Amino acid sequence: MAGLIAPVARLIEEFSKLPGVGTKTAQRLTYHVLRASTDDARALAKALVAIKEEVAYCSICCNITEVGVDPCDICADPRREAGRICVVEEPLDVLAIERTGEFRGRYHVLHGAISPIDGIGPERLRVRELIARVGNGDVEEVILATNPNLEGEATAMYLADMLEPHVAAVTRIARGLPVGGDLEYADDVTLIRSLQGRRQVDRS
Amino acid sequence: MAGLIAPVARLIEEFSKLPGVGTKTAQRLTYHVLRASTDDARALAKALVAIKEEVAYCSICCNITEVGVDPCDICADPRREAGRICVVEEPLDVLAIERTGEFRGRYHVLHGAISPIDGIGPERLRVRELIARVGNGDVEEVILATNPNLEGEATAMYLADMLEPHVAAVTRIARGLPVGGDLEYADDVTLIRSLQGRRQVDRS
């Protein structure tokens, strides 16, 4: 950018590469760093380098883990059911499910979803590793918890086909009205899914 | 955050310290960096450190300049009118005015505005340096281009009082309807300013 001194222009450019950060936001962040303490800037710089150096992938579930911790804490935990695998797209999805406290099995992280438009086929995901895990027949259930969007549904359908011969139950997380939601404002597809997924009221 | 490995948690925390970045955004940025190349992460880290090491302040106008370049390029440029000083709050304001190509004088960057609520008085700004610049009586005009908000107006009023004895003309940038704006939707204060600032139509 004209009139900008080099180190400022460079940081604006680097910030602009982050997702959802436009030029204006990048300028604002850069001038924030200029005013902030040198220690704060160094701490962010250090964390950026550290995440690339200290993060590895679990050889079982493909989730992120600290370098040297393999298998990851969840895969190594004997209290977690080995026979139940929840398949998610991203490491953040594992966190979301862990927060619920509802699931006591293990995970498998695909690192993406099938997306023909973006040129992402199953070979770009950690599918082979998943098939290998269920190959020995010890897994009773695989829960497909990919996102309820086009790519996530396509991925779930593909995985269901691949897993069926090896696993007793291949299930998909329920799609329906979000709790606290309003039927009147629900989109049609969600409402259809919600009707299709209806269940007998449990009076016990 | 529970369930997060340390290097990931640390980068999320560091990103969260940036202005306008909440936990969700910090998570998104962190997972972007995880997926991005090591070179990209290192480039951002390097730019962060460089901006603290390579940026200095011009001893005349207090704008940012590269270390070793003092006075800054604008102050050192003999084609810029030395007798006209435009006072702004931030380095980004200099860029905005430079973009217009309308101003050929020099600048003075206050690095903030007077804000009693935030405990920022004139002594926290680069006011002393400005008074020193006009002290020798060579400056014909000081244009007060602080922001047209409460803090910026208070700063302009304060500076006008301080500068009046030393400078022939102390002026304030016009406040009025923005070009392309709509009178119907203008707020009352802007409309009042716009009426107060009315000028004879120039037919020449």
Side-chain angles (χ1 to χ4, degrees):
Chain A
M1 219 175 313
L4 272 181
I5 59 175
V8 173
R10 220 175 307 128
L11 186 54
I12 292 175
E13 195 196 319
E14 291 300 331
F15 270 132
S16 309
K17 290 180 187 166
L18 296 174
V21 177
T23 309
K24 286 267 166 190
T25 306
Q27 286 184 352
R28 207 162 39 82
L29 293 176
T30 299
Y31 280 91
H32 168 84
V33 173
L34 256 183
R35 274 191 303 260
S37 74
T38 303
D39 283 352
D40 282 351
R42 277 184 194 284
L44 176 52
K46 221 178 116 193
L48 280 162
V49 173
I51 205 169
K52 302 307 281 190
E53 287 172 352
E54 295 170 19
V55 171
Y57 295 91
C58 173
S59 59
I60 297 176
C61 71
C62 305
N63 195 5
I64 53 172
T65 179
E66 282 189 79
V67 166
V69 181
D70 186 19
C72 71
D73 289 344
I74 292 178
C75 286
D77 187 344
R79 291 164 305 176
R80 313 277 312 210
E81 299 174 55
R84 214 172 295 278
I85 297 176
C86 180
V87 179
V88 296
E89 295 181 17
E90 301 288 349
L92 276 180
D93 301 333
V94 172
L95 280 188
I97 294 176
E98 282 297 283
R99 266 199 305 271
T100 67
E102 190 68 30
F103 180 68
R104 297 301 302 161
R106 295 180 181 173
Y107 292 94
H108 193 85
V109 181
L110 297 170
H111 292 280
I114 296 173
S115 174
I117 318 174
D118 303 316
I120 299 171
E123 73 289 348
R124 294 270 297 273
L125 309 175
R126 303 299 186 99
V127 171
R128 218 173 318 122
E129 291 87 343
L130 177 60
I131 305 296
R133 283 178 79 179
V134 301
N136 59 11
D138 290 347
V139 177
E140 311 150 38
E141 182 182 5
V142 172
I143 303 169
L144 300 171
T146 52
N147 288 327
N149 55 24
L150 208 67
E151 291 80 15
E153 294 293 351
T155 309
M157 288 310 101
Y158 174 84
L159 291 179
D161 283 348
M162 301 290 284
L163 296 168
E164 219 98 80
H166 309 286
V167 188
V170 177
T171 59
R172 178 88 175 101
I173 49 165
R175 279 122 326 154
L177 291 176
V179 178
D182 196 321
L183 200 132
E184 189 181 345
Y185 299 118
D187 64 287
D188 291 354
V189 183
T190 298
L191 209 47
I192 289 168
R193 290 289 192 179
S194 172
L195 286 166
Q196 287 172 341
R198 69 189 181 275
R199 288 166 66 169
Q200 184 84 37
V201 177
D202 187 359
R203 288 159 179 278
S204 65
Chain B
M1 217 177 313
L4 272 182
I5 59 175
V8 173
R10 220 176 307 129
L11 185 55
I12 292 175
E13 195 195 320
E14 292 300 331
F15 271 132
S16 308
K17 290 181 186 165
L18 297 174
V21 177
T23 309
K24 285 269 168 190
T25 307
Q27 287 184 352
R28 207 162 38 83
L29 294 175
T30 299
Y31 280 91
H32 168 83
V33 173
L34 255 184
R35 275 190 302 260
S37 74
T38 303
D39 283 352
D40 282 352
R42 276 184 194 286
L44 176 53
K46 222 178 115 192
L48 279 162
V49 174
I51 204 168
K52 302 307 283 191
E53 286 173 354
E54 295 169 19
V55 171
Y57 295 91
C58 173
S59 59
I60 297 175
C61 73
C62 305
N63 194 5
I64 52 171
T65 179
E66 282 188 79
V67 166
V69 182
D70 186 20
C72 71
D73 290 343
I74 292 177
C75 286
D77 186 345
R79 291 165 304 177
R80 312 277 312 208
E81 300 175 53
R84 215 173 294 280
I85 296 176
C86 180
V87 180
V88 296
E89 295 181 17
E90 301 288 348
L92 275 180
D93 301 332
V94 172
L95 279 189
I97 294 176
E98 282 297 283
R99 266 199 304 271
T100 67
E102 190 67 28
F103 180 68
R104 297 301 303 160
R106 294 180 180 173
Y107 292 94
H108 193 85
V109 181
L110 297 170
H111 291 280
I114 295 173
S115 174
I117 318 174
D118 303 316
I120 298 172
E123 73 288 347
R124 294 272 296 273
L125 309 175
R126 304 298 186 98
V127 171
R128 217 173 319 122
E129 290 86 342
L130 177 61
I131 306 296
R133 284 178 80 180
V134 302
N136 59 10
D138 290 346
V139 177
E140 311 148 37
E141 182 182 6
V142 172
I143 302 168
L144 301 171
T146 52
N147 288 327
N149 55 24
L150 207 68
E151 292 80 16
E153 295 293 353
T155 309
M157 290 308 101
Y158 174 84
L159 291 179
D161 284 347
M162 300 292 284
L163 295 169
E164 219 98 81
H166 308 287
V167 189
V170 178
T171 59
R172 178 89 174 101
I173 50 166
R175 279 120 328 155
L177 291 176
V179 177
D182 197 321
L183 201 131
E184 187 182 347
Y185 299 118
D187 64 287
D188 291 354
V189 183
T190 299
L191 210 47
I192 290 168
R193 289 290 192 177
S194 171
L195 286 166
Q196 287 171 343
R198 69 188 181 279
R199 288 165 67 168
Q200 185 84 38
V201 177
D202 187 358
R203 287 160 180 279
S204 63

